[in-house]
Amino acid sequence: MSSQQIPEENLPVEQGTAHGAVEGAGDPFADPGLPAHKPRIQDIDERAANRSERAVALMFTLSMLATVGFIASYVIFPVDQIVYIWPFGHVSALNFSLGLTLGLALFLIGAGAVHWARTLMSDVEVADDRHAIEATPEVKAKVLADFADGARESALGRRKLIRNTMFGALALVPLSGVVLLRDLGPLPEKKLRKTLWAKGKQLVNMNTMEPLRPEDVVVGSLTFAMPEGLEEDAHDFQSQIAKAALMIIRIEPDNIKDKREREWAHEGIVAFSKICTHVGCPISLYEQQTHHVLCPCHQSTFDLSDGARVIFGPAGHALPQLRIGVNSEGNLEALGDFEEPVGPAFWERG
Ligand code: FES
């Protein structure tokens, strides 16, 4: 081939006419086709193509030499020879030589292949147009005929007794699934809405198991409390404490922003559910300067000086507050149960 001959597949192709482009100038939705192919210098100049060929061959040859160097390293360098090589410092001569020669051998194979593909392999873009996915009229007619044959052979239209009883059987069988729902156990009814708190129940310190007195709750401390009479060895201790556990803190009454919270407190002592309203983790981290409590599970943060409203995180609603007072013995007591369900929001919606 002379140096000025251009292979036919490399001749420029006019834009908009290649590979199934839709005809129709002026139609904005017409397929523009593939862009025109721009020949590379190697496509039109045989000498440039030969130069590229030699460059690729050189890289493959150097790769071969690097591989020979890799094998020779085992003969040349003793296993324990250490040499100083800037900037790596003191290294094993054998390891360094093995790494260098193997790295070069692989790199040169890759570089040669890339250069070959970019300069000498054909870069003409090829498009394979999709065929229509709609069935032909003949196929559609055959499917309909087969369906009609099947219906006729099954005698579904003629045997009305069979057809009607079959429809009845198919309609009734899903009812079995409804009955199986009974196996999910009894409904929770009001159990999730009620806790052990009731009017007159004393608050018991969960650490000392002693009734909690107002003077035990100092500003800046976080105290956990549970209802009196709940024994740790009771069979339902875990389920009861999971609903009834309280956080008790003292806030200067003037610093309580929420009116109802102030009224339900005793001299600034407030009692909130310890159970996070997100998915029910026990809250335990208290920041006394801001009166924020943080749930360790997903970082929901509640402001205990403002009705325990959520100020950050995924929790859906504020922590329920328990109304408290002091009984004749000077101990803190509940003035009733929580007025809203404790814990995750789905209980509230249930
Ligand atoms: S359980 Fe408290 S933030 Fe998720």
Side-chain angles (χ1 to χ4, degrees):
M1 187 187 297
S2 88
S3 63
Q4 294 309 313
Q5 275 181 318
I6 304 174
E8 192 179 325
E9 71 270 20
N10 288 328
L11 285 172
V13 181
E14 275 184 39
Q15 182 148 356
T17 61
H19 309 293
V22 173
E23 292 182 4
D27 179 358
F29 300 106
D31 180 359
L34 294 173
H37 175 248
K38 291 200 189 90
R40 302 159 297 188
I41 182 70
Q42 289 86 355
D43 295 328
I44 55 177
D45 184 348
E46 187 63 18
R47 281 175 301 182
N50 290 338
R51 274 199 302 278
S52 290
E53 182 183 3
R54 286 195 293 275
V56 173
L58 178 65
M59 286 187 245
F60 288 159
T61 307
L62 289 175
S63 172
M64 287 188 270
L65 291 176
T67 301
V68 172
F70 178 85
I71 297 165
S73 301
Y74 278 102
V75 181
I76 298 170
F77 300 110
V79 171
D80 53 359
Q81 183 178 347
I82 303 295
V83 291
Y84 180 83
I85 298 174
W86 185 90
F88 305 106
H90 291 90
V91 294
S92 158
L94 177 59
N95 284 350
F96 185 82
S97 178
L98 290 176
L100 184 68
T101 50
L102 183 61
L104 272 175
L106 295 174
F107 173 78
L108 288 165
I109 289 174
V114 169
H115 193 58
W116 180 12
R118 287 177 60 89
T119 58
L120 296 173
M121 289 186 188
S122 171
D123 67 342
V124 176
E125 286 192 64
V126 177
D128 188 9
D129 292 333
R130 288 191 199 167
H131 59 81
I133 56 174
E134 186 182 12
T136 61
E138 296 77 33
V139 171
K140 287 184 194 169
K142 173 146 181 22
V143 169
L144 287 175
D146 287 350
F147 183 79
D149 283 351
R152 193 171 48 254
E153 284 164 15
S154 69
L156 204 62
R158 221 160 17 98
R159 307 281 179 197
K160 290 199 170 41
L161 187 59
I162 292 179
R163 185 193 64 192
N164 294 344
T165 50
M166 181 187 76
F167 286 155
L170 290 175
L172 278 186
V173 81
L175 290 181
S176 320
V178 178
V179 177
L180 286 177
L181 290 177
R182 274 186 61 85
D183 286 350
L184 294 177
L187 291 173
E189 296 172 347
K190 297 278 183 203
K191 260 187 264 169
L192 300 178
R193 293 183 167 271
K194 297 266 172 239
T195 73
L196 285 184
W197 291 111
K199 186 166 171 45
K201 275 258 177 183
Q202 297 190 123
L203 278 62
V204 170
N205 186 319
M206 283 173 70
N207 286 329
T208 64
M209 301 306 280
E210 294 292 327
L212 203 55
R213 302 175 69 83
E215 55 270 29
D216 298 336
V217 185
V218 295
V219 171
S221 71
L222 175 65
T223 306
F224 299 127
M226 64 182 199
E228 66 172 332
L230 180 57
E231 302 295 336
E232 279 193 54
D233 51 2
H235 73 281
D236 60 347
F237 176 80
Q238 289 299 336
S239 61
Q240 294 297 352
I241 200 68
K243 293 188 291 177
L246 289 181
M247 289 182 293
I248 314 293
I249 63 164
R250 185 191 280 272
I251 308 174
E252 285 300 329
D254 290 345
N255 291 339
I256 300 179
K257 300 171 203 146
D258 184 80
K259 182 163 171 284
R260 188 184 85 159
E261 178 181 349
R262 204 165 35 239
E263 290 169 1
W264 285 21
H266 174 75
E267 296 173 353
I269 299 173
V270 291
F272 284 100
S273 167
K274 180 176 160 56
I275 310 304
C276 180
T277 54
H278 179 218
V279 289
C281 285
I283 297 170
S284 55
L285 304 170
Y286 175 51
E287 213 288 297
Q288 65 177 68
Q289 302 294 327
T290 58
H291 304 303
H292 292 172
V293 284
L294 175 78
C295 175
C297 288
H298 313 100
Q299 282 70 54
S300 283
T301 307
F302 305 85
D303 183 355
L304 295 195
S305 69
D306 191 10
R309 70 183 173 87
V310 184
I311 56 170
F312 179 79
H317 63 134
L319 296 170
Q321 184 179 0
L322 188 73
R323 187 172 197 163
I324 56 170
V326 169
N327 63 15
S328 55
E329 297 165 37
N331 297 330
L332 289 170
E333 65 170 9
L335 298 181
D337 198 355
F338 289 104
E339 289 202 350
E340 57 213 313
V342 298
F346 69 85
W347 288 2
E348 185 182 14
R349 317 282 174 246

